[in-house]
Amino acid sequence: MIGHGMMGTWHSQSLRDADCVLHSLVGREPAATEAFAREYGYRHWYVDYREALRSPEIDIVIVAGPSQSHAEMALAALEQGKHVLVEIPLALNLEDCERIVDTAARRGLTVGVVHPMRFRREHRQLLERLQSGAETLLQVHSRLFLHRRENIGSTGLKRCWTDNLLWHHGAHLVDVALWLAGKGDPAAAQVAALNASLPAADPVTGIPMELALLMHTEQRQALVCTGSYNSPERIFDIFVVTDRDSYRLDILAGTLRQGTQLLEVDSEQDNNAQVARDFVAALREGREPQVPARSVLPAMRLLQQVEQAQLP
């Protein structure tokens, strides 16, 4: 496990009762890393991930470090013969995403990506109805609004790195829209037109802080993805309209509004708990994980288009 922030903690908690060994933890500060390793039962701890990767006893590496380090760490793990589960985003540019996918294929290894929207039970139930023809998708509007001007993460601690609205949270928003539009295959969502607004980098944070994407597909579906790091009100929801009903999944509230009916759903942490367990089970069972790395490339290609279109 590389990283023990919020996601490293959630993955560690979900795997403690799974049929696997928590072998090595990699952190940045020795005292904090050692304390976390002892709390969760890791056999070893390191502050140098390359040193940890040299252990022949490790089969799987989970990359939950800073976003800008994901590609470097994933590639290093693959070169050491490890299967890799990478926190979203897979990388911060399309070239690195493709390098990871190609390297895994060349070495006969598996790479999965933590895209928890695809694990949502309510989304998978809707997907089954879309696949069967019981419903037809008309629109997806995915939103993520939060306040991150001081670069404080979800743990409440100041980060030593800067998050990325386009490649991190934008990957959540775009991937789930393509996945639903393509009936489970993002590559099948044939985007006919893309309009996007990504302002210039903020002078304080050094990144664009607003995002708006409008797409329509060959199947006459409207896909809207919007986000902001300037909003005092936190919003993270997926709103879907079909020819039969509407569905608003509020991730933060843990609710699903289907038409006029309000239902409770799994919390964000409980839903995320499935991801690492699925990856371990997939390798044991000789199948692909629920979100193989190559399946997120359509979303990453669109993000690359957006970024390139906004460059001066």
Side-chain angles (χ1 to χ4, degrees), residues 88 115 117-118 140-144 165-182 186-187 189 191 194-196 211-215 223-227 236 238 295-306:
I88 194 169
H115 278 239
M117 291 300 99
R118 297 203 209 173
V140 179
H141 188 175
S142 53
R143 305 188 298 171
L144 186 288
L165 177 62
L166 177 66
W167 288 94
H168 177 186
H169 290 107
H172 280 290
L173 304 177
V174 173
D175 183 79
V176 69
L178 294 180
W179 180 69
L180 289 170
V191 176
L194 167 65
N195 292 284
L211 174 66
L213 279 69
L214 173 62
M215 299 168 276
L223 309 179
V224 184
C225 306
T226 56
F236 189 12
I238 314 296
S295 74
V296 308
L297 291 181
M300 308 313 268
R301 290 191 185 101
L302 281 173
L303 297 181
Q304 185 77 48
Q305 285 182 246
V306 172

Side-chain angles (χ1 to χ4, degrees), residues 14 22 26 52 58 69 99 107 129 137 142 181 230 255 264:
S14 73
L22 298 183
V26 179
I58 295 174
S69 67
R99 284 178 62 207
R107 296 187 65 88
R129 296 194 294 275
L137 185 77
S142 53
N230 285 306
T255 59
E264 289 189 2

Side-chain angles (χ1 to χ4, degrees), residues 5 11 34 95 150 158 171 189 221 223 228 311:
H11 292 315
E34 181 181 17
E95 181 181 2
E150 296 182 4
K158 188 171 181 61
Q221 302 152 320
L223 309 179
S228 173
L311 291 176

Side-chain angles (χ1 to χ4, degrees), residues 89-246:
L90 180 59
L92 293 181
N93 60 68
L94 178 61
E95 181 181 2
D96 281 345
C97 291
E98 292 176 333
R99 284 178 62 207
I100 292 169
V101 171
D102 292 345
T103 301
R106 172 171 54 84
R107 296 187 65 88
L109 297 166
T110 299
V111 179
V113 192
V114 182
H115 278 239
M117 291 300 99
R118 297 203 209 173
F119 284 81
R120 281 279 174 190
R121 180 168 55 248
E122 46 281 1
H123 277 166
R124 300 201 69 81
Q125 290 169 346
L126 172 60
L127 185 65
E128 290 176 4
R129 296 194 294 275
L130 296 175
Q131 291 172 333
S132 71
E135 293 186 54
T136 299
L137 185 77
L138 302 177
Q139 182 170 160
V140 179
H141 188 175
S142 53
R143 305 188 298 171
L144 186 288
F145 290 79
L146 50 79
H147 196 264
R148 193 155 281 176
R149 296 203 60 85
E150 296 182 4
N151 204 29
I152 303 295
S154 297
T155 60
L157 300 176
K158 188 171 181 61
R159 288 169 162 163
C160 64
W161 53 281
T162 303
D163 210 338
N164 190 294
L165 177 62
L166 177 66
W167 288 94
H168 177 186
H169 290 107
H172 280 290
L173 304 177
V174 173
D175 183 79
V176 69
L178 294 180
W179 180 69
L180 289 170
K183 299 180 181 180
D185 179 6
Q190 302 169 9
V191 176
L194 167 65
N195 292 284
S197 175
L198 184 71
D202 181 89
V204 175
T205 64
I207 58 168
M209 300 284 280
E210 305 292 330
L211 174 66
L213 279 69
L214 173 62
M215 299 168 276
H216 73 259
T217 70
E218 298 286 357
Q219 296 79 23
R220 302 172 66 87
Q221 302 152 320
L223 309 179
V224 184
C225 306
T226 56
S228 173
Y229 280 172
N230 285 306
S231 175
E233 179 184 359
R234 292 191 68 197
I235 300 172
F236 189 12
D237 62 5
I238 314 296
F239 184 59
V240 179
V241 180
T242 74
D243 62 341
R244 301 292 299 276
D245 216 334
S246 63

